[in-house]
Amino acid sequence: MTDPQLVLAERVQQALGAAFGPEHASEDPLIRPSQFADYQANVALSLAKRLRRAPREVAAEIAAHLDFPGTVEVSGPGFLNLTLSDEWIAGQAGDLLADERLGVPVSASKTVVVDYSAPNAAKEMHVGHLRTTVVGDALVRAHEYVGNKVVRQNHLGDWGTPFGMLVEHLLDIGETAAVAQLEAGEGNAFYQAARHKFDTDPDFNARARSRVVTLQAEEPETMRLWHMFMDATVRYFNKVYRLLGVTLTDDDIAGESMYRTALAQVCDDLQARGIAVISDGALCVFPPGFTGREGQPLPFMIRKSDGGYGYATTDLATIRYRVEELKADRIIYVIGVTQSLHLQMLFASARMAGWLPDNVEVEHVQIGSVLGSDGKMFKTRSGESVKLLDLLDEAVERAGQVLEDRGYDPALRTEIANKVGMGAVKYADLSVSHDSEYVFDFDRMLALTGNTGPYLQYATARIRSIFRTGGLAPADATGPITLGHPAERALALQLLGFGSTVDTVVSQSEPHRLCAYLFDLAQAFTAFYEVCPVLKAEDESTRRSRLALSAATLRVLLQGLEVLGIEVPDRM
Ligand code: ARG
């Protein structure tokens, strides 16, 4: 265990047990960063209240029993100020450097199902899907890094009544032309053309409706056309995924269509057990605790009065599959915040049905909207949603401009621009807490200063260039690490927090915490590098130590960015 906060928590708990009896040994010691020491423990204040004793006295007693590598001081009303010894920090930083896993144990072994990306085939894949894709992929990577078994589920919108008119439109424009248009990411235009005919052309409208019937009957020719439509659409999605460096593949596709044969069973089952009831002709579940404005119970509708099934029905079938077939211990839905009520009612209904046992955790990782500079939903000037591939191309092009005068040959520049452009877009999605909105702004996300992807990429390039200048490889910098200057100490201490940060990302589903950690680390490195010469250090042992600190920083930055799914160019 290298993380200082975890080490201190454990030691303070031991002291609590020794001073006040074993019943206090599992109390939260409330370790927090401190202005006056490395950390402080605040437990004495709350414990004193319960013990009806003076907080400073309780603090002093904990301090007297506390055994840890550093010094403790009672301060203020009863805080314990904890300062770690330089030797301990240096030793732990050295261990981290020698550890292939950088102090992050492979400790988890759960099956985690992550539902993310999930664009709709009948519509354009837009910037909102980009964010659930990027955040979901970072969560997936973090879970895999700590040893969980991850099952990715791309719940594509690939079934339902719109596909009747889409198939008819495909026939109208011809198979080859349709496929080309869909592969090019023109799904939105395709959909709009179909929609327009559906609304204005009675003959097309009639054809589309009967096509829905043959689709639902899974008539072979209709299914062939539907597959053709879907395959072309998925090829476009894959283009976007590959460009972004997202780990989703065709094996992860588990769209709405996959559950089409399970829907009737879902309804029959719930109705037979009285969990779903007919209300105004529709079959509904009324999960407890969900009420409308006038206090009336809210329906979770699983079969419309016309007999059709909907999004809710599919999602219930999906939960059953994930629990029964995939054996999920935890199911994570990375979906827009606007679907919050749907998901809460889904989870509650699935619990009522017994399809979601208590030992399976579910959570909605709410994704906030991406806004344009006008504060409204991100759109083009003409008011259409922005085509994702165009947006990504623009990011790469702008990144190329930033690198214009660096003297790279064109091939290398393109390679760097790709990584910087994609890194900038992805990091912008990740660095903000996932449920808040943010304004999509190329200038800000591509800036080389501040909490941006390019800033972190640049930090790694700078460390690499130190090694290049010295004619050394980072892997050869093995220390030992010694701490003289406060900036060295601060950097080493920051390095030790990597493991607990990854842990938080996994337990709280919050990738932005890793961004904040890496940003702090890069800043600690900058502060160190400003005052501590590395290659020109005053003596050989200092030089060795500073090279080791630089190498450790590089590795943590690279590993952290990899967990976030951000590629890093060697130079920049
Ligand atoms: N296709 C849906 C959309 O674009 C998202 C699906 C999310 N997953 C789910 N199991 N409901 O809004």
Side-chain angles (χ1 to χ4, degrees):
M1 186 156 48
T2 56
D3 191 280
Q5 296 208 47
L6 300 181
V7 172
L8 289 172
E10 190 185 272
R11 300 300 176 89
V12 173
Q13 284 183 329
Q14 283 164 1
L16 283 167
F20 303 104
E23 69 272 25
H24 293 286
S26 51
E27 203 134 341
D28 183 350
L30 302 171
I31 309 283
R32 304 282 180 264
S34 162
Q35 265 183 295
F36 307 105
D38 293 328
Y39 295 97
Q40 61 187 51
N42 299 347
V43 62
L45 293 135
S46 54
L47 183 60
K49 219 176 271 162
R50 274 174 287 140
L51 297 177
R52 298 174 195 283
R53 291 182 50 184
R56 279 189 70 94
E57 223 175 83
V58 171
E61 215 159 309
I62 300 172
H65 287 87
L66 183 59
D67 177 23
F68 83 105
T71 53
V72 56
E73 219 176 80
V74 177
S75 94
F79 301 122
L80 289 163
N81 285 353
L82 305 165
T83 304
L84 293 155
S85 80
D86 290 0
E87 292 68 35
W88 185 82
I89 296 173
Q92 295 294 309
D95 288 353
L96 178 135
L97 182 64
D99 176 7
E100 184 159 343
R101 303 255 330 151
L102 299 165
V104 186
V106 189
S107 53
S109 56
K110 287 188 182 162
T111 298
V112 182
V113 171
V114 186
D115 178 323
Y116 70 109
S117 194
N120 298 318
K123 298 197 196 123
E124 174 75 50
M125 184 184 197
H126 57 74
V127 75
H129 291 119
L130 174 70
R131 197 167 177 201
T132 83
T133 304
V134 168
V135 171
D137 210 50
L139 290 175
V140 154
R141 289 165 184 265
H143 277 280
E144 284 180 341
Y145 188 54
V146 301
N148 279 325
K149 176 178 172 230
V150 173
V151 187
R152 295 160 175 77
Q153 293 283 280
N154 193 355
H155 195 74
L156 298 181
D158 63 355
W159 196 247
T161 46
F163 287 88
M165 67 180 189
L166 291 167
V167 163
E168 280 306 314
H169 182 58
L170 182 148
L171 284 173
D172 282 1
I173 61 176
E175 296 181 7
T176 317
V179 165
Q181 192 182 1
L182 292 166
E183 278 180 351
E186 307 289 343
N188 215 26
F190 190 99
Y191 175 81
Q192 276 164 3
R195 179 88 231 177
H196 180 73
K197 283 194 286 180
F198 187 82
D199 292 337
T200 56
D201 175 349
D203 169 55
F204 181 84
N205 184 294
R207 279 196 281 136
R209 284 173 190 278
S210 61
R211 188 61 79 175
V212 174
V213 178
T214 55
L215 185 67
Q216 254 142 21
E218 303 195 22
E219 184 266 316
E221 173 62 6
T222 302
M223 289 306 281
R224 183 184 73 83
L225 296 167
W226 173 78
H227 276 296
M228 179 179 293
F229 176 91
M230 277 317 300
D231 290 350
T233 302
V234 166
R235 278 197 287 279
Y236 169 66
F237 293 161
N238 281 335
K239 259 185 239 171
V240 174
Y241 295 149
R242 294 298 81 80
L243 193 62
L244 281 168
V246 161
T247 58
L248 284 169
T249 69
D250 288 354
D251 294 342
D252 308 315
I253 293 177
E256 294 178 13
S257 65
M258 191 174 122
Y259 304 96
R260 61 185 187 268
T261 56
L263 305 181
Q265 189 64 52
V266 163
C267 292
D268 292 349
D269 201 348
L270 293 182
Q271 191 171 16
R273 292 159 59 205
I275 293 169
V277 292
I278 300 287
S279 166
D280 288 334
L283 184 63
C284 304
V285 181
F286 291 91
F290 293 89
T291 47
R293 262 196 220 128
E294 269 102 53
Q296 78 280 19
L298 278 184
F300 192 60
M301 196 195 293
I302 58 176
R303 197 179 61 216
K304 289 177 248 169
S305 51
D306 69 4
Y309 307 113
Y311 195 50
T313 331
T314 306
D315 258 330
L316 277 173
T318 305
I319 287 205
R320 281 183 97 166
Y321 172 75
R322 290 174 183 176
V323 172
E324 286 165 21
E325 305 293 323
L326 299 180
K327 311 266 181 256
D329 296 307
R330 180 173 171 187
I331 314 176
I332 300 177
Y333 290 79
V334 189
I335 309 180
V337 42
T338 51
Q339 293 189 31
S340 170
L341 181 62
H342 165 76
L343 288 163
Q344 293 318 313
M345 294 184 82
L346 167 69
F347 299 161
S349 303
R351 296 253 187 236
M352 282 171 81
W355 295 339
L356 188 60
D358 286 342
N359 60 354
V360 178
E361 276 178 78
V362 280
E363 67 192 275
H364 177 197
V365 173
Q366 306 189 354
I367 300 299
S369 306
V370 180
L371 307 176
S373 51
D374 56 0
K376 303 210 181 96
M377 289 297 268
F378 191 65
K379 297 261 155 75
T380 54
R381 256 173 238 272
S382 57
E384 287 144 37
S385 64
V386 178
K387 194 169 133 192
L388 205 49
L389 212 51
D390 292 347
L391 196 75
L392 299 180
D393 283 344
E394 183 172 348
V396 171
E397 194 188 302
R398 284 177 183 250
Q401 284 160 14
V402 174
L403 301 164
E404 186 105 57
D405 45 7
R406 306 248 168 149
Y408 295 126
D409 70 71
L412 183 58
R413 197 176 89 190
T414 308
E415 191 196 313
I416 301 176
N418 267 311
K419 291 181 178 166
V420 172
M422 288 308 97
V425 170
K426 292 177 85 173
Y427 195 85
D429 271 342
L430 292 166
S431 55
V432 182
S433 123
H434 59 70
D435 53 354
S436 17
E437 308 176 325
Y438 81 93
V439 172
F440 193 95
D441 176 352
F442 273 126
D443 290 332
R444 216 186 50 208
M445 58 181 78
L446 281 161
L448 285 171
T449 53
N451 190 11
T452 68
Y455 171 73
L456 291 180
Q457 290 169 323
Y458 182 65
T460 66
R462 217 168 38 153
I463 300 175
R464 283 199 219 261
S465 96
I466 297 171
F467 283 95
R468 235 183 342 256
T469 309
L472 301 161
D476 298 335
T478 51
I481 291 173
T482 51
L483 301 175
H485 197 284
E488 294 172 325
R489 187 182 186 282
L491 176 59
L493 195 53
Q494 177 68 17
L495 282 167
L496 302 186
F498 183 54
S500 68
T501 305
V502 172
D503 227 53
T504 310
V505 172
V506 167
S507 61
Q508 314 284 316
S509 300
E510 290 187 330
H512 75 277
R513 297 203 182 254
L514 180 54
C515 298
Y517 167 83
L518 296 174
F519 179 55
D520 287 347
L521 177 62
Q523 286 193 306
F525 184 81
T526 303
F528 153 83
Y529 194 54
E530 264 164 24
V531 290
C532 298
V534 175
L535 292 171
K536 297 200 172 109
E538 47 271 31
D539 55 66
E540 184 50 28
S541 70
T542 308
R543 184 172 187 265
R544 289 181 69 91
S545 167
R546 289 179 182 170
L547 281 167
L549 280 171
S550 305
T553 306
L554 177 62
R555 281 185 45 213
V556 171
L557 285 173
L558 291 175
Q559 184 61 61
L561 288 168
E562 191 179 316
V563 167
L564 293 172
I566 292 180
E567 285 190 68
V568 180
D570 284 351
R571 49 178 89 209
M572 215 178 128

